[in-house]
Amino acid sequence: MPARAASFRSVFAVAGFRRIWLAHLLSVAGDQLARVALTVLVFDRTSSAGWASAAYALTFVPDLLGGALGGVADRFSRRTVMVVTDVGRAVLIALMAVPGLPLPAAAALLFAVQLMAGPFYAARQALLPDLLDPDRLVVGQAVISSTYQAGLVVGFGAGAAVVTGLGVPGALLIDAGTFALSALMLRFGLERYPPSAPRHHRRPSLLAGCRLVARDRKLRWLLLVACCCGFYVVPEGLAVPVAAELGGAGALPWLLAANPVGSVLGGILLSRIPRERQVRVLGVLAVASSLVLIPTGWAPGPVTIVVLWTISGMFSAHDMITQTQYSLAAPPDHRGQVIGVAIAALRAAQAAGIAAAGLLAQVVAPTTVVTVAAAAGVAVAGVAGIGWSRAVSSRRGPEDHADPVGPAGGTTPVGEHGS
């Protein structure tokens, strides 16, 4: 009989996780505030909705490049990487608040701010298995993912309210303060050398991380499962034209909120399932994330579409399982590099999926594009799910790592590698 799932209380009982979660919460708030502030700044100076939306989109581009820097989390103390990147972001955002700063300079500073998010994320994800045993790790990942999704839901409204009340410079200074506070909490709330402290690699690189992933069967299939988000992220990218096709902008807020709300609900539900069952149903959930979107092209109205997209978001909460298994399968001394590969691959998949959907939406109805993307996603997720199931059912090879005892009091299988 499978053991019961870990509780949220047991996860928050780990002091190190509490610090990381609070820092994550501040980071999400800061990211959204910076994006809204820059968008408002650009629109105020150019009176162009096109340039404003382009400025917002610019904030996501560095994440693709930032994944290549994930290897620094294996070269230096992971706490140090998080603190330094937080301090760097605080300084850069404070510079953005300088009155009269030219728009190109503000955009360049924000680009650098977002570029630092890659190493921060890689270091944080690489550190979590040192703080939480496997059962608590998946619940902790659910908390991290749900916090991010909830931040997306409330971020636009809260960010706009802050910018409206304090102006762009005031909002940016508050944003800088969130990153400075996060750095202080991490510096004085985390140990510098966790039990699985990374060795100092001379040349960590994205290419080296790719080689590690390519040699490990579990990592390969998990990365493909994760990249299936490039298909079920299409509704988010086409929400505006879909709302226009449905006959009004009133549906747009509901369409935009559907996936994040579903992800939060799905994360809560999945975290209550024992870890062994989560591993077994991962492939099914990946397929379902796209499968439920297929009727979008024939849905009778916005209510049905919002329901479908919300359910898809619930299934897409499987990404917390994927991230947990990916972190556990990665060699502990190279987690930063391997996670950096995942960051770059995910952003590339999302960018490619949305870009391709946008081009196709020029010639066919946007709701039809969602259906086409969903059908392709079902096919790819099916292949990935079968590969993952075979990988976890195969015997452990002689190169598999022993399960070291982690600081949280449980055993952490940090390296279950396939042949």
Side-chain angles (χ1 to χ4, degrees):
M1 181 177 180
R4 295 180 61 185
S7 67
F8 287 98
R9 175 178 291 184
S10 69
V11 171
F12 279 101
V14 180
F17 177 80
R18 291 199 304 271
R19 304 294 192 280
I20 285 182
W21 176 75
L22 286 172
H24 174 64
L25 181 62
L26 291 168
S27 177
V28 170
D31 284 345
Q32 287 299 99
L33 192 55
R35 287 173 177 141
V36 173
L38 180 65
T39 303
V40 172
L41 179 65
V42 171
F43 185 76
D44 285 345
R45 293 194 186 179
T46 65
S47 298
S48 169
W51 280 112
S53 61
Y56 185 82
L58 176 68
T59 63
F60 291 95
V61 175
D63 292 341
L64 174 60
L65 304 177
L69 304 176
V72 299
D74 296 326
R75 188 173 183 181
F76 304 101
S77 162
R78 285 158 185 163
R79 186 194 69 177
T80 299
V81 172
M82 290 189 288
V83 171
V84 169
T85 51
D86 265 348
V87 170
R89 288 188 285 186
V91 172
L92 293 174
I93 291 175
L95 290 175
M96 289 174 58
V98 174
L101 186 70
L103 284 180
L109 288 172
L110 186 58
F111 188 94
V113 168
Q114 294 300 123
L115 192 63
M116 292 184 180
F120 180 93
Y121 176 81
R124 186 192 69 205
Q125 291 298 108
L127 185 59
L128 284 178
D130 292 318
L131 299 174
L132 303 172
D133 61 74
D135 289 318
R136 282 189 281 191
L137 179 59
V138 71
V139 180
Q141 190 61 63
V143 172
I144 295 290
S145 299
S146 297
T147 300
Y148 175 75
Q149 295 295 340
L152 293 181
V153 175
V154 302
F156 288 110
V162 172
V163 172
T164 300
L166 300 177
V168 171
L172 289 174
L173 289 177
I174 290 180
D175 186 10
T178 64
F179 286 112
L181 182 58
S182 172
L184 288 173
M185 285 195 306
L186 293 173
R187 171 61 181 82
F188 297 104
L190 289 178
E191 297 179 11
R192 181 174 182 179
Y193 298 106
S196 298
R199 296 173 186 155
H200 286 243
H201 299 283
R202 292 184 177 180
R203 295 181 179 178
S205 66
L206 185 64
L207 182 59
C210 289
R211 293 195 186 103
L212 289 169
V213 174
R215 290 198 298 262
D216 189 289
R217 180 163 47 175
K218 288 185 178 180
L219 290 175
R220 290 197 307 267
W221 289 117
L222 285 168
L223 187 59
L224 184 57
V225 169
C227 286
C228 289
C229 68
F231 298 103
Y232 54 79
V233 77
V234 167
E236 179 182 338
L238 295 183
V240 173
V242 167
E245 180 187 346
L246 296 176
L252 181 58
W254 297 98
L255 293 173
L256 288 173
N259 186 276
V261 169
S263 295
V264 172
L265 296 175
I268 294 173
L269 293 175
L270 286 179
S271 66
R272 309 313 305 153
I273 301 176
R275 183 167 56 93
E276 294 79 5
R277 292 180 182 174
Q278 292 177 353
V279 172
R280 290 198 296 268
V281 302
L282 176 58
V284 174
L285 294 174
V287 171
S289 299
S290 290
L291 182 64
V292 73
L293 293 173
I294 290 180
T296 298
W298 301 283
V303 174
T304 304
I305 292 179
V306 168
V307 171
L308 291 174
W309 291 12
T310 302
I311 296 174
S312 173
M314 293 177 66
F315 287 128
S316 73
H318 72 265
D319 63 354
M320 72 177 193
I321 305 174
T322 308
Q323 292 178 49
T324 299
Q325 295 302 314
Y326 192 86
S327 296
L328 293 175
D333 289 345
H334 298 273
R335 282 197 199 117
Q337 289 176 285
V338 170
I339 291 171
V341 172
I343 295 172
L346 287 176
R347 288 306 185 191
Q350 291 173 331
I354 292 177
L359 291 174
L360 187 57
Q362 300 298 316
V363 294
V364 298
T367 51
T368 302
V369 175
V370 174
T371 294
V372 172
V378 168
V380 176
V383 173
I386 292 173
W388 165 247
S389 296
R390 291 176 176 175
V392 296
S393 63
S394 62
R395 288 187 177 182
R396 292 167 60 95
E399 73 280 10
D400 290 340
H401 300 278
D403 293 350
V405 178
T411 56
T412 305
V414 292
E416 299 179 356
H417 300 299
S419 58

